[in-house]
Amino acid sequence: MARMPATLSITAMVPCFNEEECIEQAYLRIKEEVYRYGDAEILFVDDGSTDGTLGIIKRIAREDPRVSFISFARNFGLESAFTAGFSYASKEWTVQLDADLQSPPEELHKLVRRAVEDDHDAVFAVRTGRQDPWYRRLGTVGHQAIATRVLGIELPVHASVFRVVRTSVARKVAECKVSTPYFIATLPLIGARYTTVETAHSPRAAGRPKWSLGKLFRHAADLFVGFSYRPLALIYLAALGAAAAATALAAAGSGVQPLALASVLLHAAGLGALALLARYMVRIMRGSAGLPRYQIREANVPVRPQDDLYAYRNESTGRAAPAPLLQTGNLP
Ligand code: UDP
Ligand code: MG
């Protein structure tokens, strides 16, 4: 068991999307905890907010040199926001916190201590007394049970996005060219050592949740088809079952109606298989389209050209137009 050092190099990364009611409070509470570690920074990832969030972040960053930010050109979603956060965090460890303070900053020491003392690459918070509506809690349980039990996907069970991760390992995950980015399913695949720790959970400090049910379903579907081929096997089984039922009904000689029913069943299985195949194809196409996972419009840290929406601006004139690729004199 390693001892906790007196100072620790740590980034508190906070993805935020339209959190103007919470962001100032979040900054004050997070700073209180994280600056104790000595070598600390706070990194806000503004996921394309359309309210006053970015303005508040920029003011905080002007007043506090330990605050950095990157701001996306549009809302790319939480998975992209924290992926960017892991790439732009500059300290040895990165802890991810919510802007709405549902993950209490005061609990962060439990995660950090466990990671450092037991030499884990990632420690995830498991929320005790989760302060979310029943359908969200039920959704998480169902989604995790399908992923782990039915589809055999390895995940840190009941893990929330409140977590501390060794930044170098998180960056490895961020760089994986998976066609469906899904951090908690990719981390075990690269061999990272992880565990979970129980922490308290709070209701939202202010504002409204930013996940719609549609987004949550799409995210769950990404996990199911992005990290398992078992859904295809299940469809084959369903098709076989329907074929067996049809044969049995026909052999029983019970007339036209059961046969019609069996044929409907077979068609349903076939259509289901088609829909599922389409989902896998969308996943492959998305991956091969080479679209960036995010683009940064503004930041107070250096940005890699591939992440910078304005990478091709003409630096000497400051104008957004790129320098011409071809000199007209070279043309025939
Ligand atoms: N968030 C984000 N981009 C999004 C949705 C959410 O950066 O598209 C941020 C949000 O501002 C918050 C965190 O992710 O800091 C968790 O979001 P939320 O509180 O809405 O989710 P919930 O707690 O309901 O799961
Ligand atoms: Mg929340």
Side-chain angles (χ1 to χ4, degrees):
M1 190 197 230
R3 285 213 2 232
M4 268 295 278
T7 60
L8 199 71
S9 164
I10 189 164
T11 301
M13 180 250 289
V14 191
C16 22
F17 175 48
N18 291 346
E19 300 284 10
E20 62 183 5
E21 297 104 325
C22 303
I23 203 82
E24 180 95 43
Q25 257 194 79
Y27 162 65
L28 293 172
R29 283 217 0 231
I30 291 170
K31 144 182 151 160
E32 196 63 33
E33 281 303 311
V34 84
Y35 287 178
R36 288 181 197 190
Y37 291 98
D39 182 17
E41 67 168 356
I42 299 178
L43 170 64
F44 288 107
V45 182
D46 167 40
D47 184 11
S49 296
T50 49
D51 65 356
T53 302
L54 180 60
I56 302 172
I57 291 175
K58 280 160 78 173
R59 184 192 29 82
I60 295 173
R62 274 196 303 274
E63 290 165 1
D64 181 347
R66 285 191 276 190
V67 172
S68 355
F69 75 89
I70 53 180
S71 175
F72 284 177
R74 67 167 174 85
N75 177 235
F76 282 87
L78 180 58
E79 190 81 28
S80 296
F82 66 66
T83 299
F86 287 132
S87 297
Y88 284 89
S90 72
K91 307 293 182 188
E92 187 185 346
W93 295 94
T94 303
V95 58
Q96 181 178 339
L97 293 126
D98 285 348
D100 61 7
L101 292 165
Q102 286 202 268
S103 41
E106 297 73 22
E107 297 281 273
L108 132 74
H109 67 97
K110 295 183 184 166
L111 306 182
V112 172
R113 180 166 289 278
R114 190 67 193 276
V116 173
E117 290 187 345
D118 292 351
D119 196 27
H120 284 290
D121 299 315
V123 179
F124 294 85
V126 172
R127 299 160 283 206
T128 53
R130 185 172 165 195
Q131 303 289 315
D132 279 322
W134 64 269
Y135 56 86
R136 285 290 307 273
R137 298 201 302 271
L138 190 71
T140 306
V141 171
H143 160 248
Q144 291 236 341
I146 295 175
T148 55
R149 304 237 173 95
V150 183
L151 303 180
I153 302 169
E154 186 184 342
L155 294 174
V157 179
H158 303 309
S160 71
V161 288
F162 184 24
R163 54 207 171 185
V164 62
V165 190
R166 200 185 298 278
T167 310
S168 56
V169 172
R171 217 169 272 174
K172 277 266 167 204
V173 176
E175 281 165 9
C176 285
K177 298 244 177 300
V178 282
S179 47
T180 329
Y182 211 105
F183 185 83
I184 57 168
T186 311
L187 192 83
L189 290 181
I190 64 167
R193 288 157 47 89
Y194 64 89
T195 190
T196 54
V197 156
E198 287 194 349
T199 61
H201 192 237
S202 308
R204 216 175 210 283
R208 295 168 55 80
K210 303 300 174 310
W211 285 88
S212 62
L213 275 183
K215 264 194 198 174
L216 283 167
F217 275 120
R218 278 196 297 278
H219 199 53
D222 276 350
L223 174 67
F224 299 159
V225 300
F227 290 83
S228 174
Y229 287 105
R230 276 196 206 167
L232 283 178
L234 292 176
I235 282 289
Y236 293 146
L237 280 180
L240 271 178
T247 316
L249 287 168
S254 49
V256 178
Q257 264 184 6
L259 264 183
L261 177 75
S263 118
V264 169
L265 276 176
L266 265 178
H267 273 96
L271 286 174
L274 265 181
L276 196 61
L277 272 173
R279 186 84 209 179
Y280 278 104
M281 278 175 64
V282 166
R283 180 167 89 81
I284 293 165
M285 279 166 64
R286 247 205 245 156
S288 61
L291 270 172
R293 278 158 78 170
Y294 54 85
Q295 284 290 280
I296 296 173
R297 191 190 298 281
E298 254 186 277
N300 69 346
V301 289
V303 172
R304 302 179 298 196
Q306 67 266 34
D307 300 338
D308 180 359
L309 182 63
Y310 301 120
Y312 295 131
R313 81 183 139 229
N314 188 324
E315 291 295 349
S316 56
T317 65
R319 277 187 289 121
L325 284 180
L326 281 175
Q327 300 295 325
T328 41
N330 295 341
L331 291 174

